[in-house]
């Protein structure tokens, strides 16, 4: 149904990491009258999966076109984005540098372990602002003779967001084939590129879906303009400028802050693991699922149709000592 539309758009080149659509799983949880589906982007190929692979298809193609011989990115120590960047870089025989805030870690669990196994160089930048440190390191590497390509935090720019523009239509086509219609689509929001790609794609539908982003860090007021700017820029890249449809951002499930689990996120993670056999991560997707549960319990009459939660991955983070120690309190 959307094939003609997609074929008419001038997508930039991609490295085809995805291989095909990710599965959709119907949940056995009963949080309201509506059905709940998980879109399993935790099962994207390579390096234990996650949403960033879709963005990296475009970003790594740009790195290749610029003849980069070093990939630099940044993120928190348990960054899923940094892990997947390290994995695809090494698969493409490119060295990678991951810049993290604070001191050099003393424990190497979860994503940090995988970063090391992928051969990434991990540079802790202490108190220096992350952006500044990334720019400094890129310039130092240039002086050493490298041609670095820097991927922004979370892979979130207009180009990376195109990964979720495509993903949106992948979901609609799968649902159509399976004979159901998504109505409310929910995802976690960090650096905003995932939601922005979905918002950009939704703008092209005659009857847009309800999109809800669940912040894991910033306030809704901070996020909204970031999502709008990215979505608009992605549409511009496709030469398809058009007004965005409304979307919602909820920010009441962040808890004490970025990277910090809440009792609700820990409990829901365990509930979903025990009911559907799905592993969420404690600080991105589990907080998103807390929001889904809340919405379904409070809004089933208003929105009786299918809810979809976009499982953007992050499971490896639970093998970080801080996170598993916290989770064990609820077992
Ligand atoms: C598991 C997981 N889910 C969701 C997100 C949020 O995606 P975005 O940064 O595109 O908003 C991230 C970001 O790092 C993530 O690691």
């Amino acid at each position: 149904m959307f094939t003609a539309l997609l074929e008419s758009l001038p997508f930039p080149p991609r490295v085809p990491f995805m291989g095909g659509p990710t599965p959709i799983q119907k949940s056995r949880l009963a949080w309201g009258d509506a059905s709940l589906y998980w879109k399993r982007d935790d099962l994207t190929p390579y390096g234990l999966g996650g949403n960033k692979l879709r963005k990296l298809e475009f970003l790594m193609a740009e790195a290749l076109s610029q003849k980069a011989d070093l990939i630099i990115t940044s993120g928190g120590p348990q960054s899923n984005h940094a892990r997947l960047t390290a994995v695809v870089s090494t698969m493409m025989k490119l060295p990678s540098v991951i810049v993290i805030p604070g001191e050099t870690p003393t424990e190497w669990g979860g994503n940090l372990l995988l970063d090391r196994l992928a051969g990434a160089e991990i540079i802790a930048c202490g108190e220096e602002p992350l952006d500044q440190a990334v720019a400094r390191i890129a310039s130092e590497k240039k002086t050493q003779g490298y041609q670095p390509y820097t991927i922004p935090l979370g892979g979130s720019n207009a180009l990376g967001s195109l990964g979720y523009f495509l993903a949106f239509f992948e979901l609609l086509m799968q649902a159509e084939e399976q004979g159901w219609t998504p109505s409310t689509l929910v995802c976690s929001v960090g650096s905003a590129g995932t939601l922005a790609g979905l918002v950009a794609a939704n703008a092209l539908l005659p009857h847009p879906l309800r999109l809800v982003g669940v912040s894991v860090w910033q306030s809704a007021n901070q996020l909204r303009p970031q999502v709008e700017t990215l979505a608009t820029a992605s549409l511009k890249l496709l030469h398809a400028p058009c007004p965005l449809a409304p979307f919602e951002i909820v920010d009441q499930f962040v808890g004490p802050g970025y990277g910090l689990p809440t009792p609700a996120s820990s409990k829901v993670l365990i509930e979903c693991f025990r009911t559907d056999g799905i592993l969420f991560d404690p600080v991105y997707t589990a907080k998103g699922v807390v929001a889904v549960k809340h919405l379904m319990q409070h809004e089933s009459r208003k929105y009786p149709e299918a809810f979809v939660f976009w499982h953007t991955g992050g499971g490896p983070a639970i093998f970080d000592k801080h996170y598993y120690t916290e989770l064990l309190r609820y077992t």
Side-chain angles (χ1 to χ4, degrees):
M1 184 181 170
F2 299 106
T3 318
L5 168 71
L6 293 177
E7 279 173 4
S8 72
L9 295 170
F11 285 98
R14 281 192 283 161
V15 183
F17 294 129
M18 288 293 296
T22 54
I24 293 176
Q25 178 176 340
K26 191 167 186 191
S27 175
R28 298 161 68 189
L29 289 152
W31 286 335
D33 298 333
S35 313
L36 170 62
Y37 294 85
W38 310 116
K39 173 66 172 154
R40 303 278 318 259
D41 275 12
D42 57 318
L43 298 180
T44 60
Y46 311 126
L48 297 186
N51 58 338
K52 306 303 178 177
L53 199 70
R54 293 186 187 270
K55 301 179 182 185
L56 286 163
E57 286 198 326
F58 287 100
L59 296 166
M60 294 304 279
E62 186 175 67
L64 285 183
S65 76
Q66 294 180 6
K67 307 216 175 329
D69 55 13
L70 176 72
I71 306 297
I72 303 180
T73 199
S74 54
Q78 283 302 326
S79 167
N80 299 296
H81 160 68
R83 181 236 315 156
L84 278 178
T85 302
V87 171
V88 296
S89 297
T90 190
M91 287 169 65
M92 292 169 68
K93 307 244 178 299
L94 293 169
S96 63
V97 174
I98 298 173
V99 186
I100 59 173
E103 301 310 313
T104 302
T106 49
E107 308 232 355
W108 295 92
N111 283 310
L112 276 171
L113 171 66
L114 301 178
D115 298 343
R116 293 274 300 269
L117 297 186
E121 180 185 1
I122 298 168
I123 302 180
C125 68
E127 296 297 310
E128 186 179 5
L130 207 51
D131 280 4
Q132 200 177 300
V134 168
R136 173 181 57 76
I137 289 161
S139 144
E140 286 167 9
K141 293 286 182 188
K142 261 191 194 161
T143 314
Q144 292 164 21
Y146 284 104
Q147 178 69 35
Y149 178 82
T150 300
I151 298 183
L153 193 76
S156 287
N157 57 16
L159 183 65
S161 299
L162 290 181
Y164 272 84
F165 180 97
L166 281 176
F168 181 87
F169 291 105
E170 174 183 307
L171 169 76
L172 293 193
M173 290 192 276
Q174 279 176 303
E176 193 187 20
E177 262 174 45
Q178 293 172 8
W180 59 280
T181 311
S183 56
T184 297
L185 184 49
V186 187
C187 70
S188 301
V189 186
S191 57
T194 301
L195 179 61
L198 300 175
V199 167
N202 206 26
L204 300 186
L205 291 193
H207 303 290
L209 305 190
R210 178 183 181 220
L211 292 189
V212 183
V214 184
S215 177
V216 299
W217 156 31
Q218 305 176 79
S219 72
N221 286 342
Q222 286 171 309
L223 273 176
R224 181 168 290 284
Q226 294 171 31
V227 175
E228 287 169 351
T229 305
L230 278 176
T232 306
S234 293
L235 285 166
K236 206 167 155 202
L237 272 184
L238 298 176
H239 305 304
C242 69
L244 304 177
F247 60 93
E248 297 165 41
I249 297 184
V250 297
D251 58 7
Q252 72 262 41
F253 302 105
V254 175
Y258 175 72
L260 299 172
T262 62
S265 67
S266 298
K267 285 182 200 158
V268 96
L269 185 154
I270 293 167
E271 182 182 3
C272 292
F273 190 53
R274 291 183 181 176
T275 312
D276 280 342
I278 291 194
L279 187 59
F280 289 102
D281 84 276
V283 292
Y284 284 101
T285 40
K287 287 184 183 176
V289 179
V290 173
V292 171
K293 184 172 182 177
H294 178 88
L295 293 173
M296 292 186 75
Q297 287 177 336
H298 290 84
E299 295 187 345
S300 284
R301 283 214 191 97
K302 201 162 147 210
Y303 298 101
E305 292 124 358
F307 276 66
V308 180
F309 180 70
W310 212 298
H311 187 342
T312 44
I318 74 158
F319 302 106
D320 171 84
K321 192 173 174 189
H322 292 106
Y323 291 148
Y324 71 68
T325 308
E326 178 63 15
L327 283 169
L328 287 171
R329 295 177 57 204
Y330 299 93
T331 56

